[in-house]
């Protein structure tokens, strides 16, 4: 089913490993923007839950408190708070220091 022009993604992000929980936005993203995420196996779309700065992480799925967060195929921390799909992932909701 084709999307209307209003539903086409207007921002982009990259996910380097198919098992990642986050993608990196390649330009600033405003809340509500539909983002096209390029992954190794194709493309997917996620709506930004809030503003996200260039180079920062956006969740590509809902992540529960205490869950390990994966980026580039490796753990980068644990969710310090519930993270909704499309949310900015950074020090306010991610604890570092997770070992594999």
């Amino acid at each position: 089913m084709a999307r209307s022009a209003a539903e086409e993604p207007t921002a982009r992000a990259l996910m380097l490993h198919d098992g990642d929980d986050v993608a990196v936005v390649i330009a600033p993203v405003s809340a509500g923007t539909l983002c096209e995420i390029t992954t190794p196996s194709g493309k997917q779309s996620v709506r930004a839950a809030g503003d996200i700065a260039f180079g920062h992480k956006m969740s590509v799925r809902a992540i529960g408190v205490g869950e390990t967060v994966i980026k580039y195929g490796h753990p980068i921390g644990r969710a310090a708070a519930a993270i909704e799909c499309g949310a900015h992932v950074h020090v306010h909701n991610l604890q570092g220091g997770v070992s594999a």
Side-chain angles (χ1 to χ4, degrees):
M1 182 170 164
R3 290 186 281 208
S4 70
E7 296 174 310
E8 288 298 319
T10 58
R12 293 186 40 211
L14 300 173
M15 191 169 80
L16 298 182
H17 189 272
D18 282 323
D20 287 352
D21 298 316
V22 296
V24 177
V25 300
I26 61 172
V29 175
S30 298
T33 301
L34 187 61
C35 297
E36 178 182 86
I37 300 170
T38 301
T39 74
S41 62
K43 296 185 187 297
Q44 67 184 68
S45 295
V46 173
R47 191 166 303 280
D51 296 342
I52 304 171
F54 163 79
H56 281 239
K57 298 173 293 296
M58 176 173 67
S59 176
V60 297
R61 69 172 187 89
I63 303 169
V65 175
E67 283 189 61
T68 299
V69 178
I70 306 296
K71 178 183 177 188
Y72 304 147
H74 299 281
I76 60 168
R78 291 194 191 284
I83 302 171
E84 67 181 299
C85 185
H88 181 210
V89 178
H90 201 53
V91 298
H92 66 285
N93 58 8
L94 182 70
Q95 286 181 300
V98 173
S99 59

